[in-house]
Amino acid sequence: MAGYSDILQEHFKNPRNVGEMEDADGVGRVGDPTCGDYVVIWIKVRDEHISEIKFKCLGCPAAIGTTSIFCEMVRGMHVDRAAELSDEVLEEAAGGLPEEKRHCSNLAPGALYDAIVNYVTREVAKSARTGGGKV
Ligand code: FES
């Protein structure tokens, strides 16, 4: 695994938060059409913070490792802050990536953003059904 940092290699070998979530508050997916790699992220949200997170990744070591690192980074974070995290922030947290693997750090932030949009959409629908209130 030449070119990968120790932290990335460790997360690839022992990825955290792998799995699916039956009762998620939001689910997001993103794929890279150029390489075919794919990530799904499930979140639970309490008081607008990510309380639980799970992921599945069909992808390369960099995609799996960065998604594992990202899930650890955002657990406990406010959804607004988590939605703003960029692939550059993740790449830095992963100790950098070889040039040809830099696109692999796009997947987790994209899937999480999609999961947060899904969560907000569900909250808006719930609020509309119950006659309004805070979203
Ligand atoms: Fe495409 Fe890693 S090779 S995400």
Side-chain angles (χ1 to χ4, degrees):
M1 295 188 59
Y4 294 130
S5 69
D6 290 346
I7 187 169
L8 186 71
Q9 291 187 45
E10 210 284 309
H11 274 265
F12 168 63
K13 291 174 190 160
N14 302 294
R16 281 67 143 176
N17 306 295
V18 172
E20 297 182 22
M21 198 185 285
E22 292 277 319
D23 53 348
D25 296 318
V27 58
R29 302 168 177 83
V30 76
D32 186 322
T34 59
C35 63
D37 288 3
Y38 193 80
V39 169
V40 184
I41 288 181
W42 291 263
I43 55 171
K44 266 200 164 307
V45 179
R46 292 293 170 267
D47 298 326
E48 299 183 8
H49 289 71
I50 297 170
S51 58
E52 291 177 47
I53 188 162
K54 291 282 185 191
F55 81 93
K56 282 205 162 175
C57 176
L58 183 65
C60 69
I64 293 167
T66 55
T67 304
S68 174
I69 291 168
F70 194 66
C71 288
E72 290 286 284
M73 283 172 69
V74 301
R75 191 169 352 96
M77 194 176 278
H78 193 282
V79 289
D80 290 350
R81 170 83 182 103
E84 289 173 354
L85 290 178
S86 67
D87 48 324
E88 286 88 6
V89 170
L90 175 54
E91 187 178 339
E92 191 179 326
L97 289 167
E99 187 58 36
E100 69 280 9
K101 302 300 277 182
R102 292 191 65 198
H103 75 277
C104 307
S105 63
N106 296 341
L107 294 178
L112 180 68
Y113 187 87
D114 196 37
I116 292 170
V117 169
N118 181 243
Y119 158 69
V120 171
T121 303
R122 291 181 191 199
E123 289 298 298
V124 169
K126 223 186 286 176
S127 177
R129 277 197 306 273
T130 57
K134 186 174 178 278
V135 175

